[in-house]
Amino acid sequence: LPGPGTAACAAGTAAGPGSGTGSSAPLGGLRTLMVQQTSLDRPRETWSKKMDFLLSVIGYAVDLGNVWRFPYICYQNGGGAFLLPYLLMAVFGGVPLFYMELALGQFHRSGCISIWKHICPIFKGIGFAICIIALYVAFYYNTIMAWALYYLLSSFRATLPWSTCTNPWNTANCNRYMSSDHNVSWSNSSTSPAEEFYTRQVLQVHLSPGLHELGSISWQLALCLLFIFTIVYFSIWKGVKTSGKVVWVTATFPYLVLLILLIRGATLPGAWRGVVFYLKPDWEKLLSTTVWIDAAAQIFFSLGPGFGVLLAFASYNPFHNNCYKDALVTSSVNCLTSFLSGFVIFTVLGYMAEMRQQNVDAVAKDAGPSLLFIIYAEAIANMPAATFFAIIFFLMIIMLGLDSTFAGLEGVITAMLDEFPHMLVKRREWFVFGLLHKSFIENVSEITLLLFVRVVSQGGAFVVKLFEEYATGPAVITVVLLEVIAVSWFYGTNRFCNDVQVMLGFYPGCFWRVCWVAICPCFLLFIIISFLAFPPEVRLFDYHYPPWTTVLGYCIGVSSFICVPSYMVYHLLNAKGTFKQRVFCITPCNAHNAL
């Protein structure tokens, strides 16, 4: 009898787990053998409620990038005109990939490693690559959350420390320049108190000359990081039963804060200037390929297929859950959240421009974490009730990061537990503890075998920026491209659609089939070629990364992707049969026929 989620090769269709009682039934003009599942294994854990699953997926998809990256990318690429390529890339690329991963995980009820024995065993290396990428992402997000936690703890005082220039870390160039400060003059060498707090007190990058000399450990950040890991552990140690409850807070609280900040921002003087700058369309920008590249990359990383998370979350669903509807709802919420975040950010940037008597583009020059930790933090410091808004804002940043960390690590944990069930299933708590303990040590001391660094050292921000640009982007896009090819071309779109029909009761339409077979591979290939043709110019503050860091960055990216060809070689050397039979045994059904 087939195991959980095994695609049975009966009459050219697949039988899903728990989908029948041993009888055959007509389906779509074909007859499918329905096999009753009999197994001595423990029953698979499921979500307590449907909303636990939806909030977990929304919390995973809605992350820090929605708040800081989308608004910046939008105004940089034509304002309101950018919404056209963004929506097109979502409809024809992002959402089909999102739907495909939810359907795969729910049907086969397996994590990102063991699922390939049901689809294309030779592509199993994709699962190992996804796990490594997920750990890289966890390193990155946990470090950002440690910074946010430091800001949060610093916010519990009447005067925020990044609002004045009288602190021990401030320099002679520090100027608190607002329209009310008539005695202050701003020059090219001037720095704001928020910038000096971020760079000199939190990151302490002034004590490190660059990647070649990172400096000593910042123990204040190390303790913040330890606290973040402790929260993560007690949120996911018991599986989706506990994490599904935690997301009721971590996934909903950011929306409450966004609403409060939006209302407060809309009432600030000059807010309208920021909104106009955010949405004013520049249609000529659409003639630039960079706009389309940014739109494709933004929707891909926003929805997040390819990190093993959607496969893991969907595998805990009931077999007949309507994952099609879930894909449409959660992806729509994600896109709308990105759009809403733009108003939250740019109403405040308009206020800053009004107070400084500058143009909005002069204020909105920073992207990434600097947009939150310098520009937005400075704006909050100059608002009435600054302490309150600072506390809820940095709590929101931590919540957004926690959701993504929960999801990424759950993807790794589910993959390993499904691959080694007899060894790990009954020891989940200890496995999670060991994984997080190792991740914390690596966060503090080393990242990979290629690069022994400290992300909470005085030069740790340089490492975080390098990982942001190289560790996950090209690798995960390439992995997802291979995943789509393996499912659509080798496993077969017809077979996959039959699986969906067994599970949901309807056959995916022509639009979805064309997207999976042709449009999604082209969509992903377009992003990969664009990245290779136009590699990012990596810089952080005044530090320009030397040429050798580009080579190092590509090596870090390849360190995960190398699992794919390595496992293919391993599979060909260890599979049964002649070499010709091994080559043609791409899918389980082909293997049965060839042998």
Side-chain angles (χ1 to χ4, degrees), residues 44-47 53 101-102 104-111 309-318 414 418:
R44 190 170 186 82
E45 187 179 14
T46 57
W47 298 97
F53 166 71
E101 285 215 347
L102 288 182
L104 283 172
Q106 184 170 303
F107 183 83
H108 295 289
R109 304 180 74 83
S110 301
V309 175
L310 301 177
L311 292 172
F313 281 171
S315 71
Y316 297 114
N317 275 334
T414 298
D418 287 344

Side-chain angles (χ1 to χ4, degrees), residues 63 72 138 225 283 304 423 461 495 518 545 584 588:
D63 62 358
Y72 178 82
L225 187 66
W283 299 106
M423 184 187 307
R495 186 186 300 179
Y545 284 66
F584 284 98

Side-chain angles (χ1 to χ4, degrees), residues 284-535:
E284 292 183 0
K285 289 270 191 176
L286 298 182
L287 301 177
S288 171
T289 56
T290 304
V291 175
W292 297 86
I293 294 170
D294 286 345
Q298 173 62 27
I299 192 63
F300 176 83
F301 288 111
S302 181
L303 292 177
F307 291 92
V309 175
L310 301 177
L311 292 172
F313 281 171
S315 71
Y316 297 114
N317 275 334
F319 182 71
H320 294 292
N321 172 67
N322 191 344
C323 60
Y324 170 72
K325 181 180 178 181
D326 295 343
L328 297 181
V329 170
T330 52
S331 57
S332 299
V333 169
N334 175 72
C335 294
L336 290 173
T337 304
S338 297
F339 187 61
L340 173 67
S341 299
F343 288 98
V344 174
I345 296 295
F346 275 93
T347 51
V348 172
L349 293 182
Y351 163 69
M352 287 293 294
E354 183 82 8
M355 293 295 100
R356 286 187 176 181
Q357 297 179 342
Q358 294 178 318
N359 294 327
V360 179
D361 57 349
V363 177
K365 60 183 180 180
D366 290 312
S370 296
L371 181 64
L372 303 182
F373 292 115
I374 297 179
I375 302 299
Y376 209 91
E378 183 178 2
I380 287 176
N382 289 281
M383 292 180 186
T387 298
F388 168 74
F389 286 109
I391 290 172
I392 64 170
F393 177 72
F394 290 110
L395 265 178
M396 179 190 73
I397 298 301
I398 294 172
M399 297 290 185
L400 290 172
L402 283 175
D403 283 332
S404 298
T405 301
F406 294 162
L409 291 177
E410 186 59 53
V412 176
I413 293 165
T414 298
M416 299 304 292
L417 264 60
D418 287 344
E419 182 66 11
F420 308 104
H422 301 293
M423 184 187 307
L424 299 177
V425 167
K426 294 182 179 180
R427 303 177 180 88
R428 177 188 171 100
E429 292 86 351
W430 286 106
F431 173 68
V432 175
F433 178 80
L435 179 66
L436 291 177
H437 177 266
K438 185 175 185 298
S439 297
F440 173 74
I441 296 301
E442 289 179 343
N443 254 115
V444 175
S445 60
E446 62 187 55
I447 291 296
T448 67
L449 296 176
L450 298 173
L451 182 63
F452 291 85
V453 296
R454 293 182 286 266
V455 296
V456 290
S457 65
Q458 293 159 346
F462 300 131
V463 180
V464 172
K465 182 64 176 178
L466 188 70
F467 265 70
E468 179 186 355
E469 297 292 346
Y470 290 105
T472 58
V476 75
I477 296 172
T478 306
V479 164
V480 176
L481 174 62
L482 293 177
E483 178 184 319
V484 173
I485 290 174
V487 173
S488 299
W489 297 2
F490 291 98
Y491 184 71
T493 304
N494 289 335
R495 186 186 300 179
F496 174 61
C497 291
N498 286 332
D499 294 345
V500 174
Q501 187 174 22
V502 169
M503 185 169 58
L504 303 184
F506 58 85
Y507 199 83
C510 180
F511 168 78
W512 300 107
R513 300 197 300 272
V514 171
C515 285
W516 291 327
V517 171
I519 297 178
C520 286
C522 293
F523 166 79
L524 296 167
L525 194 61
F526 172 68
I527 303 176
I528 295 171
I529 293 174
S530 301
F531 182 87
L532 296 176
F534 309 102

